[in-house]
Amino acid sequence: MLADGAATGVAAVIFETTVPPRSGPPLHLHAQDDEYFYILAGRFKFVMDGRTFIAEPGAFVAAPRNSVHTFVNLGPGEGRMLLVTTPHGLEQPFRAVSAGPQPPTPATLTEVFGRAGIEFVGPPLSADEG
């Protein structure tokens, strides 16, 4: 985490994330925040509100509040992204699951992220999909 709500005056959370090959989060939406992705390394497939597109280094993707979205790292190596959410709050579920047993169960993820307004609405993307 590069900056949490305390560091940004509750305006945002900024973090860099590494995404293993062929992985990404389940299809989800954020009821309380907007999410922004800046691709640093790798090749990612995104789905946003039913639209599929590819994002490579230098791409910027905006996922407005309540948009249904996800991504998958298509590359054979790790991908990296800079993520920003506004306002702050997303740091709380990430810290909670980091402090618990590893890896967290799907039920734990659903509960912890649900308290932050994140709703999982479908499975992760397959890296094999067109």
Side-chain angles (χ1 to χ4, degrees):
M1 193 162 308
L2 302 174
D4 61 10
T8 65
V10 305
V13 176
I14 304 166
F15 57 99
E16 185 177 330
T17 187
T18 301
V19 182
R22 307 178 68 75
S23 69
L27 191 64
H28 64 283
L29 64 87
H30 299 240
Q32 300 172 6
D33 53 68
D34 301 307
E35 188 173 31
Y36 305 95
F37 307 85
Y38 181 74
I39 309 304
L40 299 170
R43 187 168 189 262
F44 292 87
K45 177 170 44 173
F46 277 81
V47 169
M48 178 125 24
D49 290 332
R51 188 172 70 94
T52 302
F53 55 94
I54 302 298
E56 296 180 309
F60 179 82
V61 178
R65 178 175 328 214
N66 293 313
S67 64
V68 176
H69 63 280
T70 191
F71 59 84
V72 63
N73 175 3
L74 296 174
E78 290 185 333
R80 289 187 313 113
M81 295 185 218
L82 184 68
L83 274 84
V84 177
T85 61
T86 60
H88 83 107
L90 194 59
E91 68 271 44
Q92 296 163 352
F94 278 105
R95 285 179 175 151
V97 298
S98 296
Q102 295 300 318
T105 66
T108 298
L109 291 172
T110 298
E111 177 196 343
V112 171
F113 280 88
R115 288 193 304 255
I118 310 282
E119 180 182 354
F120 298 115
V121 296
L125 284 179
S126 167
D128 297 329
E129 294 176 16

